[in-house]
Amino acid sequence: GYYNFSSKEKHAVQKYLEQLQVNDNDAEIDKISKIEDGIKSNIVFNKDLEGDAAKDIDKVITNKTANEEGYARLFTACFTLASVKHEFGVSSNRFEHPLDEDFENWNYLNTYVIYFPNEGQFLAPSYIYYRYPVVPPSLLTNKVILSKTTTIGDVTSAVADIREVAPLPIKE
């Protein structure tokens, strides 16, 4: 899962966050930027990779390469351990298959997104040439299914939440 990390993975992520110079007292926006830039600049994204080495976070950090699942897991692990409030989600390409919440079809949900409720913006992890808060046009005005997680003791549960990816406002 995207929030189940082994102790080995957590240790690797803590060391990685230190490398990226992510500090507890950094502003949330700074943590987001440091993590995103560190991952997108130093970990090669290869959607064709297969096997555990492409998705196990400790191996991804060591090998500096990941498939889409490994990339998404690394982002969620970094944000979780850096105490950045976020929600993980999936969407589709609005030009090919806009998300229709009245029609249950999971086949086209192939784009991972991360939403930051404190900032009100989205990040597209596997789009390496886009930087937060800019997302690709294929996501804009489309809906996203987000997983809002809650932890009580050792039990983590999730509730689905549907949001629209709004374009960034025009600045004068």
Side-chain angles (χ1 to χ4, degrees):
Y2 295 98
Y3 287 98
N4 296 326
F5 313 115
S6 70
S7 58
K8 189 175 180 181
E9 289 177 317
K10 286 179 185 176
H11 179 71
V13 169
Q14 287 292 17
K15 286 181 70 175
Y16 190 62
L17 289 172
E18 288 172 19
Q19 278 182 290
L20 299 178
Q21 299 179 347
V22 176
N23 301 306
D24 290 339
N25 57 350
D26 286 344
E28 188 172 79
I29 190 96
D30 293 332
K31 290 180 184 179
I32 294 167
S33 295
K34 286 178 182 181
I35 291 168
E36 180 187 32
D37 191 56
I39 293 173
K40 290 183 176 181
S41 297
N42 299 303
I43 308 288
V44 176
F45 172 71
N46 183 341
K47 65 179 180 170
D48 298 322
L49 285 179
E50 294 182 7
D52 291 341
K55 62 183 179 182
D56 289 353
I57 297 170
D58 52 318
K59 293 176 182 142
V60 166
I61 292 169
T62 301
N63 299 335
K64 298 190 181 325
T65 187
N67 62 15
E68 193 161 18
E69 183 180 355
Y71 229 59
R73 290 190 76 235
L74 179 56
F75 268 99
T76 58
C78 285
F79 291 136
T80 300
L81 295 179
S83 300
V84 174
K85 188 172 181 180
H86 67 284
E87 298 169 10
F88 182 72
V90 291
S91 189
S92 59
N93 182 324
R94 74 176 171 111
F95 299 119
E96 296 171 8
H97 303 284
L99 193 143
D100 180 356
E101 57 192 285
D102 296 325
F103 179 65
E104 287 190 34
N105 183 353
W106 296 88
N107 293 338
Y108 303 114
L109 298 177
N110 55 10
T111 303
Y112 295 124
V113 295
I114 298 172
Y115 176 69
F116 301 98
N118 293 341
E119 306 294 329
Q121 298 295 333
F122 291 86
L123 179 145
S126 59
Y127 286 83
I128 60 170
Y129 297 113
Y130 288 87
R131 291 296 192 265
Y132 177 83
V134 179
V135 295
S138 59
L139 285 174
L140 292 176
T141 70
N142 200 11
K143 292 188 172 113
V144 175
I145 300 173
L146 296 167
S147 175
K148 294 176 96 173
T149 58
T150 303
T151 302
I152 300 172
D154 291 338
V155 178
T156 300
S157 181
V159 176
D161 184 30
I162 297 177
R163 292 186 183 266
E164 183 175 298
V165 181
L168 292 173
I170 296 174
K171 295 186 179 184
E172 296 180 23

